[in-house]
């Protein structure tokens, strides 16, 4: 992990709240209707490759563990709508030989209004 | 299923526990649904090289199970405003996970309920906490 990458904001990616994708998520968790609260993880996994693959961050994903996660919903997602997801490196630090990276993904609607803020904290074990 | 009303909720209330035994099929289905295809959750050799006995469930699979517990209690997914979790222990295939929670605070003015939530797993006679110190904020009409 390179702390100098802290603050980097990556280009927005398109994120569709697809009916089939939501339905398979519901099936996995045995939920009858609506969009499951953690469905926003799909948006994160669309946006993360830009940060994870950025040589400036220098993150070895094979040594990464998911330490914590938070979702803040500003309004419910609606099935079928198209949103955009922008990921930024909120923090990047090295402490006691491990790397700590927090990625924040802001999900917004077509008018730019906030829908969901997702915060993922990752630990890279044994950073050189 | 209808939305729980704030009047039905008191501090100290416990959420009904939600249990499931995690299988390879579950984890495969979650990888497909989420787009998280990290081999740690799909390939036993990769998982062993990382120091586990075999593949482990995604932390987000366990958090999704916790979310389902909160949704079942609240009555609708739209009620869940915020959900946070710390991942503290891996979940192996065949292991049973138990999600639960307690009402910590009821804000009648904001019509919001704060819950302490967690996911527990029993292993080798001891208790592990795949999710510890989780928190949920639920808005009820």
């Amino acid at each position: 992990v390179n702390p100098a990458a802290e603050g980097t904001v990556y280009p927005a990616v398109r994120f569709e709240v697809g009916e089939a994708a939501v339905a398979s998520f519901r099936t996995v968790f045995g939920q009858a209707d609506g969009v499951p609260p953690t469905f926003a993880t799909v948006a994160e996994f669309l946006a993360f490759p830009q940060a994870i693959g950025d040589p400036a961050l220098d993150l070895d994903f094979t040594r990464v563990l998911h330490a914590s996660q938070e979702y803040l919903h500003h309004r419910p997602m609606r099935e079928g709508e198209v949103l955009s997801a922008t990921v930024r490196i909120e923090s990047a630090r090295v402490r006691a030989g491990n790397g700590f990276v927090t990625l924040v993904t802001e999900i917004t609607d077509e008018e730019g209004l906030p829908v969901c803020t997702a915060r993922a904290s990752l630990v890279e074990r044994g950073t050189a | 299923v209808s939305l729980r009303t704030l009047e039905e909720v008191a501090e100290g209330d416990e959420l009904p526990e939600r249990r499931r035994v995690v299988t390879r099929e579950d984890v495969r289905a979650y990888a497909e649904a989420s787009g998280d295809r990290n081999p740690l959750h799909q390939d036993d050799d990769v998982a062993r090289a990382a120091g586990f006995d075999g593949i482990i469930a995604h932390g987000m699979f366990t958090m999704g199970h916790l979310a389902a517990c909160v949704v079942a209690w609240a009555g609708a997914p739209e009620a869940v405003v915020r959900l946070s979790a710390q991942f503290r222990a891996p979940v192996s295939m065949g292991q049973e996970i138990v999600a639960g929670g307690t009402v910590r605070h009821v804000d009648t003015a904001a019509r919001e309920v704060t819950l302490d939530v967690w996911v527990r797993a029993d292993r080798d006679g001891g208790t592990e906490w795949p999710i510890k110190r989780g928190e949920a904020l639920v808005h009820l009409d």
Side-chain angles (χ1 to χ4, degrees):
Chain A
V1 169
N2 180 2
E6 188 171 292
T8 307
V9 182
Y10 297 91
V13 299
R14 183 180 182 277
F15 164 54
E16 185 182 352
V17 188
E19 288 175 23
V22 172
S24 32
F25 226 82
R26 276 200 301 260
T27 302
V28 170
F29 296 112
Q31 201 173 300
D33 45 29
V35 180
T38 64
F39 183 75
T41 188
V42 175
E44 295 180 280
F45 273 85
L46 290 171
F48 280 180
Q50 301 179 92
I52 290 166
D54 185 352
L57 178 61
D58 193 21
L59 183 71
D60 179 356
F61 202 65
T62 65
R63 288 188 285 125
V64 164
L65 289 179
H66 197 178
S68 66
Q69 180 70 42
E70 179 187 41
Y71 294 103
L72 175 61
H73 293 280
H74 307 288
R75 70 147 168 92
M77 288 182 193
R78 294 186 273 268
E79 285 180 64
E81 69 179 336
V82 175
L83 303 172
S84 89
T86 304
V87 65
R88 72 171 188 271
I89 301 174
E90 186 181 65
S91 72
R93 285 168 202 177
V94 176
R95 196 167 65 230
N98 294 309
F100 297 84
V101 176
T102 298
L103 300 176
V104 173
T105 306
E106 297 286 1
I107 301 169
T108 55
D109 65 17
E110 285 176 325
E111 291 167 15
L113 297 171
V115 175
C116 178
T117 303
R119 177 174 279 100
S121 295
L122 310 174
V123 179
E124 182 196 58
R125 295 175 298 167
T127 296
Chain B
V1 183
S2 61
L3 193 66
R4 182 176 293 271
T5 62
L6 197 70
E7 287 67 32
E8 297 173 68
V9 179
E11 287 167 15
D13 282 359
E14 290 184 12
L15 279 62
E17 290 186 344
R18 190 175 179 95
R19 296 169 174 266
R20 82 185 284 174
V21 175
V22 182
T23 67
R24 284 178 182 269
E25 290 68 36
D26 293 335
V27 171
R28 192 179 304 125
Y30 181 75
E32 286 303 311
S34 67
D36 182 349
R37 296 188 178 82
N38 184 335
L40 186 63
H41 311 298
Q42 301 191 306
D43 185 328
D44 285 317
D45 292 335
V46 169
R48 285 190 199 105
F52 301 101
D53 293 336
I55 62 165
I56 58 170
H58 307 71
M60 286 306 303
F61 174 87
T62 306
M63 188 171 184
H65 177 69
L66 176 60
C69 173
V70 176
V71 169
W73 178 81
E78 298 78 21
V80 182
V81 174
R82 184 162 45 91
L83 185 66
S84 64
Q86 293 183 13
F87 303 108
R88 294 297 186 86
V91 173
S92 307
M93 300 306 97
Q95 198 170 10
E96 185 183 50
I97 56 174
V98 186
T102 313
V103 175
R104 186 204 306 163
H105 181 65
V106 179
D107 183 336
T108 47
R111 304 200 71 78
E112 284 176 344
V113 178
T114 305
L115 308 166
D116 291 313
V117 293
W118 40 261
V119 176
R120 179 182 90 223
D122 297 323
R123 188 205 287 265
D124 302 331
T127 300
E128 294 182 344
W129 298 92
I131 292 180
K132 205 168 186 180
R133 289 192 198 165
E135 191 180 280
L137 184 70
V138 176
H139 185 93
L140 299 177
D141 289 333

